[in-house]
């Protein structure tokens, strides 16, 4: 059976305050929305993830490497758009999740998916444990029994065909997908929720979420250093960009000294050695190879271990060529290769004040630092 996820992220979240929707605000090392997307994308039982975003946010969200569709006028319309985007992919189970719940865990996901083996729908929830009052004008004027009451959470899971049909025929908006499912006659099992899986709604919720996420983070730092000598030629390759010069860089591959340092920084953060371990210079298949092959391997290795690359900082050390005019293009190239936003990548240059081999213009050196984060 194939399980997919639809993440609803088209709302504006005005109650949370701030100048931008809450899903795009920073929370620790990531944006709020990146946590849920990463958790569902990396879950071994989830084959497809579709994020439903506001039309104004589409380009930004796609820049994060997400598969996106635009939302509709209501939450129900947005969910329908997300569900229809999964048509033809062989999906049998689908999870529908609100993006503003960054504390989602694999355990919550596992329980929902497992419950769908025996039920048409399943959703996590927490039993109400506090006393419930009925009030008006700031005065308590009654109580409400709490027996059998639950606080609903997401992801809410369903058999795909059944929930798609239920949404398509539901004539009005609904509080959540369980309401739509029940209106269509589906039975929905209650699975165990988590206090950590709360929804960011008000400004103070950001501080609570930050405290929660800080306790579970695995943050790694790695550094890389590389040097290549000059030889005869008319250009150098630096951070994926061809830069005209009176010489070329000598190396077994394309001698991209900047990309090599970044690659080694990622390997270092993972305690996975260096480029030479994974791509031995004695192996002639790597002769003249594009260095993006090495960088992509390092990025993929980090992803396979559950890490997200939070940021990269690279410094090129040389007298010439001048790096400044090409730095923006270098960051664009690295962003495309690494699949992270350009504003998380820094490329800059310095000289060695005419000292040493770089000062004598015998070659170029590079140092790089990479930060990796795993929730």
């Amino acid at each position: 059976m194939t399980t997919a996820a639809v993440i609803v992220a088209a709302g504006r979240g005005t109650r949370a305050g701030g100048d931008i929707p809450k899903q795009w605000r920073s929370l620790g090392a990531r944006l709020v929305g990146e946590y849920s997307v990463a958790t569902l994308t990396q879950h071994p039982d989830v084959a497809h993830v579709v994020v439903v975003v506001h039309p104004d946010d589409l380009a930004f969200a796609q820049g994060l490497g997400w598969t996106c569709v635009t939302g509709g006028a209501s939450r129900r319309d947005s969910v329908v758009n997300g569900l229809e985007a999964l048509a033809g992919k062989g999906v049998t189970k689908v999870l529908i999740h609100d993006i503003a719940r960054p504390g989602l865990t694999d355990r919550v996901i596992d329980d929902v998916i497992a419950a769908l083996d025996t039920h048409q729908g399943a959703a996590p929830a927490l039993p109400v444990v506090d006393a419930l009052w009925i009030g008006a004008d700031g005065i308590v004027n009654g109580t409400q029994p709490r027996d059998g009451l639950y606080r609903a959470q997401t992801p809410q899971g369903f058999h795909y065909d059944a929930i798609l049909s239920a949404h398509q025929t539901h004539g009005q908006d609904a509080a959540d997908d369980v309401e739509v499912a029940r209106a269509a006659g589906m039975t929905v099992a209650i699975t165990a929720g988590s206090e950590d899986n709360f929804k960011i709604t008000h400004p103070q919720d950001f501080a609570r979420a930050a405290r929660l996420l800080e306790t579970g983070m695995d943050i790694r730092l790695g550094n890389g250093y590389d040097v290549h000598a000059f030889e005869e030629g008319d250009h150098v390759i630096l951070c994926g960009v061809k830069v005209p010069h009176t010489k070329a860089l000598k190396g077994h591959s394309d001698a991209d000294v900047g990309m090599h340092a970044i690659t080694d920084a990622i390997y270092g953060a993972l305690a996975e050695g260096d480029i030479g371990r994974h791509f031995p210079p004695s192996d002639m298949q790597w002769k003249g190879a594009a260095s993006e092959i090495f960088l992509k391997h390092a990025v993929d290795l980090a992803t396979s271990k559950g890490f997200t690359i939070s940021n990269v900082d690279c410094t090129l050390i040389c007298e010439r060529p001048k790096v400044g005019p090409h730095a923006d293009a270098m960051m664009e190239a690295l962003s495309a290769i690494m699949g992270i936003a350009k504003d998380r990548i820094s490329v800059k240059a310095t000289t060695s004040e005419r000292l040493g081999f770089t000062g004598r213009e015998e070659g170029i050196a590079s140092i790089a630092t990479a930060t990796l984060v795993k929730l």
Side-chain angles (χ1 to χ4, degrees):
M1 300 181 75
T2 300
T3 301
V6 171
I7 302 178
V8 185
R12 300 291 85 186
T14 55
R15 285 180 294 173
D19 297 329
I20 59 176
K22 58 189 175 184
Q23 59 267 35
W24 310 127
R25 290 176 58 178
S26 295
L27 182 64
R30 291 175 169 176
L31 303 178
V32 169
E34 290 185 282
Y35 290 94
S36 292
V37 175
T39 300
L40 284 161
T41 300
Q42 294 166 11
H43 193 281
D45 294 332
V46 178
H48 307 284
V49 175
V50 174
V51 186
V52 186
V53 299
H54 191 278
D56 293 346
D57 302 335
L58 181 61
F60 178 80
Q62 289 175 329
L64 296 173
W66 299 352
T67 299
C68 302
V69 295
T70 55
S74 67
R75 184 187 185 280
R76 188 189 68 84
D77 293 333
S78 294
V79 173
V80 169
N81 289 354
L83 292 171
E84 290 179 343
L86 294 170
K89 297 184 182 297
V91 174
T92 52
K93 298 178 180 179
V94 63
L95 308 176
I96 304 173
H97 184 63
D98 293 328
I99 199 167
R101 294 183 185 270
L104 177 63
T105 64
D106 283 349
R107 195 269 301 165
V108 171
I109 297 171
D110 291 341
D111 288 351
V112 173
I113 293 175
L116 292 177
D117 288 339
T118 53
H119 297 81
Q120 296 171 302
L126 294 170
V128 173
V129 296
D130 298 316
L132 296 175
W133 298 338
I134 300 171
D137 301 323
I139 302 297
V140 177
N141 55 25
T143 60
Q144 174 70 45
R146 60 177 179 253
D147 296 342
L149 295 181
Y150 290 83
R151 292 184 284 139
Q153 297 186 335
T154 66
Q156 298 177 355
F158 308 93
H159 293 181
Y160 172 72
D161 290 339
I163 194 63
L164 175 59
S165 175
H167 266 290
Q168 290 173 331
T169 57
H170 197 73
Q172 57 191 16
D173 205 8
D176 64 6
D177 304 289
V178 168
E179 181 179 339
V180 175
R182 293 190 68 251
M186 298 168 62
T187 58
V188 180
I190 300 173
T191 61
S194 168
E195 289 289 354
D196 294 344
N197 188 29
F198 71 94
K199 185 176 182 179
I200 292 177
T201 304
H202 302 290
Q204 61 268 28
D205 292 336
F206 286 92
R208 178 186 172 190
R211 290 192 299 269
L212 167 69
L213 294 168
E214 284 171 2
T215 60
M217 282 187 182
D218 183 355
I219 301 176
R220 306 282 189 92
L221 294 177
N223 64 71
Y225 177 77
D226 196 39
V227 171
H228 282 281
F230 283 129
E231 63 179 6
E232 293 300 318
D234 59 6
H235 71 276
V236 295
I237 303 293
L238 297 175
C239 295
V241 175
K242 182 177 179 179
V243 178
H245 191 45
T246 56
K247 298 176 182 178
L249 286 173
K250 182 179 180 180
H252 184 68
S253 63
D254 63 4
D256 189 331
V257 65
M259 204 175 290
H260 290 179
I262 294 171
T263 302
D264 275 351
I266 297 171
Y267 283 141
L270 297 170
E272 285 283 351
D274 58 12
I275 293 175
R277 176 192 294 186
H278 301 276
F279 302 93
S282 58
D283 190 338
M284 293 307 296
Q285 71 172 307
W286 308 121
K287 178 68 174 176
S291 293
E292 69 177 74
I293 295 172
F294 314 146
L295 181 55
K296 284 181 178 178
H297 178 269
V299 171
D300 289 345
L301 184 60
T303 301
S304 72
K305 292 176 176 288
F307 285 93
T308 295
I309 299 174
S310 178
N311 76 291
V312 166
D313 182 22
C314 177
T315 301
L316 298 165
I317 306 164
C318 60
E319 300 294 329
R320 291 185 302 144
K322 296 300 181 184
V323 171
H326 307 281
D328 191 71
M330 294 176 185
M331 291 185 286
E332 290 277 7
L334 291 171
S335 174
I337 294 168
M338 301 175 70
I340 64 175
K342 179 183 168 185
D343 63 4
R344 293 181 178 271
I345 300 170
S346 169
V347 175
K348 58 189 186 298
T350 188
T351 70
S352 54
E353 300 294 339
R354 295 287 177 182
L355 299 175
F357 77 92
T358 57
R360 295 189 296 270
E361 299 191 42
E362 297 172 356
I364 298 179
S366 179
I367 56 175
T369 300
T371 306
L372 276 59
V373 178
K374 178 166 66 175
L375 299 180

